Amino acid sequence: MSGHAPYPGKSPYSMLSVDECVGMVTSKVLGPLETQTVQLNAALGRILAKDAVAVEAIPAFPASIMDGFAMRSKDAPGKYPVDELAGTTAGADSRGPLREDHIRYITTGAPVPAGADTVVKVEDTHQLVDADGKLEIEVLCSSKPGANIRAVGSDTKQGEVILRKCCRIGAAEIGVLAALGLASVEVFREPRVAIISTGDELVDVGAAGTLDRSRGQIVDCNRPLLCALARELGVEALDMGFVTDDLPKLRATLVSAFQQADVVISSGGVSRGSKDFIKELLSEMGEVHFGEMCMKPGKPSTFATVAGHGAQRKLFFGLPGNPVSCFVTFKLLAAPALERLRGLPQDTPIYPRVDAELADPVDMDPVRPEYHRARARWEAGRIVAESTGFQRSSRIASIADANCLLEIPKDKGTLPKGTVVKALLLPHGSRSLVPSPEGFPGGRIRAQPAKPPPATTVEAGQPLQPRPLRVGLLTIGRDASNDQAFSDLLTVLSSCEIVEKEEYSVEEKSSHFLADLLETWSRKSCQLILVLADLGLGEVDAAVVQAVREGLKEAPGVADAVARTGLALSPLAMLSPVVAGTQHDTLIVMLPSSWAPSCTAMLCKMVAALAEDLRTQL
Ligand SMILES: Nc1nc2c(c(=O)[nH]1)N[C@H]1C(S)=C(S)[C@@H](COP(=O)(O)OP(=O)(O)OC[C@H]3O[C@@H](n4cnc5c(N)ncnc54)[C@H](O)[C@@H]3O)O[C@H]1N2
Ligand code: MOO
């Protein structure tokens, strides 16, 4: 016998590893596309092309934090007439400097008048009308200079970089940009993406009722899938329809797609079938960089580049026709390239890669590593991943509800339940990582807890019941001006059970009382006791510190971390004592509460982080 074999044989492309393929795609993306200016309301989801800098301090004037009375701190407490009956309300005309021996009504956000250096809350005053009908305000408490006043630039300094170039603009960032007075922003241009389905058997979903089963017709689901995957990234896709397996028609569609788009994505026609023309057409139009990838699903994935107008060549992804292969290869190959083009820095991984424990045994493929679709959830201190079931690349149900791809190594045999594998967390989709009762732990993901989780009775696969952290809260000599700090702390601790709460005045009770109190609370199975104390270097203060320290097994790492947070906020923080240690099974942390209100958020974050650690470790 002589002549050509009628059917395509072995692939002429060598099989590259997933890393090699991803590296190849990355190397062909030169960087973000050009920049453009868009209106703020069109910037959601875009990538910022320039640092956003505060041109003005925020607040630009000393502003009241409370509804109350602006006055001179030296005058409080005492009785005073008001110098302007209407007072200073936010947004109203300026009423000039404060008269001597007077106070002035002020509302939250209004500029504090010249002459005043403190604001007293309305609750801390009495309004008196004398026999002549003259109004006087009795200020009941003392008030420190600066109390209840946001100093100029105390929220944001002039010249401060608030958002870095290349950050993704979410709702929070829109708020920040608006606060900076930016009605339009410079962002990177979105890539134009064209989506094409290929195959004689395809019928548009809109005509699903006309399917001819005898000819093996099926609904084209890849096109809606790929358009939606692009849209999830913020990229509006150009839907080029489906094309039959006809070489001239395919060529014409591809030419048209390259004329209109920066990136062209097709599905189907990349394997070894007699009508699989994609690779052939792409090597005719440009350069095919790979045509076989060692992964399951997605083996015949094809990547090519075609000359465009500028240095950045047009990218072509020929994804396999099987819908699951199409989904997975879009996530692994196309999505990172699109993200880079739209401005995300090269070194930012787009999927968090974490350790996950298999909830079920998983068979391995002896030849190709598999990207197994699964549902990950945070459970008792680690991530547990449950397979979405039978993984054949035609079974589209296996991508539904998946929120991660498990990297199953190639090997013979089965990975038993409980094996820890790497999981790529998918940021979009019907559900992201299911939070634990205490919330998703951000970047602080531990594959295995330091100790086995206490709730050992909970079987893998069953959600944990909420187990609120038990917290004791002791405030020593708390300054009324720190109410905001305290309420912020309560917000952070809102999901916790506050077992005990007490205010303690240094003058009133002895240090022994304090030590006894902590001992009793820690026996009441508090996991965390926070001692909020505005202490300095005085003798009484030292005795309080000693009393807190008594009986504690010190935890210098925690104390150091707390102190560092304070130092990052103010050099004066070094004067404030910080104590951290354990007593019985309780972590006790003493930390200042009286730092400027701007410190509070950071302190609370620290406390929340500590609380979370305790949840997983104690
Ligand atoms: N001899 C070989 N045959 C195949 C190999 C191989 O190595 N040697 N690889 C297999 C693998 S792995 C995959 S994946 C597929 C990929 O094939 P193609 O990319 O050429 O895709 P098609 O043959 O066109 O279609 C495959 C499958 O998917 C269905 N399909 C296609 N497009 C759509 C769409 N838009 N919506 C829904 N379903 C679609 C199509 O009907 C087929 O069932 O090749 C294997 N073969
Ligand atoms: O590689 Mo294919 O995508 O397994 O079905």
Side-chain angles (χ1 to χ4, degrees):
M1 285 237 306
S2 64
H4 269 311
Y7 312 113
K10 225 171 143 283
S11 169
Y13 295 92
S14 42
M15 176 115 68
L16 303 189
S17 70
V18 175
D19 282 352
E20 285 170 317
C21 291
V22 171
M24 172 61 78
V25 173
T26 307
S27 73
K28 299 297 171 194
V29 182
L30 303 182
L33 296 171
E34 67 277 9
T35 66
Q36 59 181 182
T37 301
V38 296
Q39 291 301 302
L40 189 57
N41 63 9
L44 185 66
R46 304 292 291 270
I47 310 287
L48 196 64
K50 237 170 62 182
D51 287 351
V53 178
V55 286
E56 241 197 6
I58 304 177
F61 48 84
S64 179
I65 293 175
M66 296 287 175
D67 299 321
F69 291 90
M71 64 183 298
R72 293 175 178 84
S73 55
K74 69 175 175 53
D75 293 344
K79 284 186 199 158
Y80 299 93
V82 290
D83 73 341
E84 283 277 352
L85 274 182
T88 304
T89 52
D93 288 343
S94 162
R95 294 178 178 272
L98 178 69
R99 276 167 60 192
E100 283 294 334
D101 301 322
H102 281 73
I103 66 176
R104 185 181 298 171
Y105 182 65
I106 191 163
T107 63
T108 305
V112 175
D117 67 348
T118 197
V119 170
V120 177
K121 282 189 296 188
V122 75
E123 298 91 314
D124 292 334
T125 64
H126 262 155
Q127 300 178 30
L128 311 165
V129 181
D130 68 12
D132 305 334
K134 216 174 92 208
L135 175 70
E136 267 200 333
I137 305 298
E138 181 175 8
V139 175
L140 303 169
C141 62
S142 62
S143 192
K144 289 180 188 162
N148 294 325
I149 296 176
R150 284 190 295 143
V152 172
S154 59
D155 286 352
T156 303
K157 291 189 186 61
Q158 185 180 24
E160 194 178 323
V161 176
I162 315 282
L163 298 177
R164 291 258 167 227
K165 174 181 170 177
C166 292
C167 85
R168 190 190 297 276
I169 303 175
E173 289 70 25
I174 294 275
V176 170
L177 293 164
L180 297 182
L182 299 169
S184 59
V185 281
E186 201 172 327
V187 295
F188 294 108
R189 175 170 76 74
E190 291 287 5
R192 286 183 282 269
V193 182
I195 309 280
I196 309 167
S197 282
T198 70
D200 288 341
E201 72 278 34
L202 301 181
V203 169
D204 191 89
V205 64
T210 68
L211 285 173
D212 182 348
R213 301 289 182 198
S214 68
R215 297 175 57 204
Q217 286 188 332
I218 55 163
V219 169
D220 172 11
C221 64
N222 289 352
R223 211 158 29 97
L225 169 68
L226 288 169
C227 288
L229 283 167
R231 211 173 304 132
E232 276 185 348
L233 297 177
V235 177
E236 225 21 79
L238 177 64
D239 183 346
M240 303 284 293
F242 64 84
V243 190
T244 51
D245 296 318
D246 172 285
L247 202 59
K249 275 191 196 153
L250 263 175
R251 185 183 287 113
T253 308
L254 285 172
V255 167
S256 161
F258 282 119
Q259 276 165 354
Q260 300 177 70
D262 306 290
V263 177
V264 177
I265 304 178
S266 71
S267 70
V270 284
S271 193
R272 306 301 302 143
S274 58
K275 291 185 166 185
D276 289 341
F277 298 131
I278 291 288
K279 286 180 162 90
E280 180 184 331
L281 276 171
L282 263 297
S283 44
E284 184 190 287
M285 295 173 156
E287 189 182 354
V288 176
H289 301 288
F290 60 81
E292 291 265 290
M293 176 156 74
C294 188
M295 72 175 272
K296 189 180 171 185
K299 189 176 76 165
S301 298
T302 298
F303 173 64
T305 52
V306 171
H309 293 304
Q312 175 64 62
R313 290 168 68 88
K314 308 225 170 192
L315 307 180
F316 174 82
F317 296 91
L319 308 183
N322 277 315
V324 175
S325 320
C326 200
F327 173 86
V328 174
T329 53
F330 178 93
K331 292 281 186 189
L332 291 186
L333 298 174
L338 291 172
E339 288 282 39
R340 310 287 179 238
L341 287 173
R342 58 197 301 277
L344 217 71
Q346 199 79 273
D347 51 2
T348 313
I350 72 167
Y351 307 119
R353 188 165 180 265
V354 300
D355 288 328
E357 212 176 285
L358 297 180
D360 327 276
V362 169
D363 292 338
M364 291 177 284
D365 184 288
V367 182
R368 290 181 285 164
E370 187 190 7
Y371 285 75
H372 194 111
R373 283 75 66 203
R375 289 179 276 265
R377 61 176 183 271
W378 178 247
E379 184 179 293
R382 79 267 200 238
I383 291 174
V384 176
E386 185 191 348
S387 170
T388 55
F390 184 35
Q391 297 280 304
R392 187 158 62 197
S393 55
S394 56
R395 186 178 164 257
I396 195 155
S398 75
I399 65 173
D401 217 14
N403 62 3
C404 71
L405 296 173
L406 302 177
E407 295 180 357
I408 306 297
K410 65 167 185 185
D411 211 339
K412 292 197 188 88
T414 302
L415 291 176
K417 168 184 172 173
T419 308
V420 174
V421 298
K422 291 288 179 205
L424 299 175
L425 300 181
L426 304 176
H428 305 98
S430 41
R431 58 176 190 183
S432 49
L433 186 65
V434 177
S436 64
E438 67 266 35
F440 177 58
R444 304 168 51 263
I445 294 164
R446 220 176 265 110
Q448 262 138 357
K451 277 195 233 165
T456 41
T457 50
V458 176
E459 286 293 316
Q462 285 181 10
L464 260 185
Q465 285 307 304
R467 186 168 59 90
L469 187 72
R470 291 167 64 86
V471 181
L473 212 50
L474 178 62
T475 56
I476 298 179
R478 188 160 56 82
D479 185 335
S481 66
N482 278 303
D483 278 357
Q484 187 59 46
F486 190 66
S487 76
D488 283 354
L489 178 66
L490 289 181
T491 308
V492 171
L493 294 175
S494 59
S495 60
C496 303
E497 189 189 341
I498 309 279
V499 179
E500 291 284 359
K501 200 156 95 180
E502 184 151 336
E503 289 195 23
Y504 173 94
S505 164
V506 177
E507 290 82 21
E508 275 169 29
K509 295 167 188 166
S510 72
S511 313
H512 290 302
F513 170 82
L514 187 53
D516 290 349
L517 188 75
L518 293 176
E519 158 77 12
T520 319
W521 284 14
S522 57
R523 286 194 181 281
K524 279 185 182 169
S525 70
C526 280
Q527 287 132 313
L528 176 67
I529 299 175
L530 294 173
V531 184
L532 306 182
D534 296 338
L535 300 176
L537 303 173
E539 257 177 52
V540 179
D541 290 354
V544 171
V545 174
Q546 193 43 44
V548 173
R549 199 166 265 153
E550 220 172 275
L552 284 193
K553 195 164 153 248
E554 296 221 20
V558 178
D560 187 50
V562 174
R564 275 170 199 279
T565 306
L567 277 173
L569 300 164
S570 154
L572 290 179
M574 71 177 75
L575 300 175
S576 304
V578 172
V579 177
T582 52
Q583 189 168 34
H584 307 298
D585 269 341
T586 306
L587 178 66
I588 299 177
V589 183
M590 183 171 96
L591 72 174
S593 70
S594 59
W595 298 340
S598 56
C599 305
T600 313
M602 236 180 282
L603 274 175
C604 290
K605 240 191 227 165
M606 164 71 76
V607 174
L610 289 175
E612 220 165 59
D613 265 358
L614 284 173
R615 275 177 183 283
T616 52
Q617 283 180 7
L618 288 184

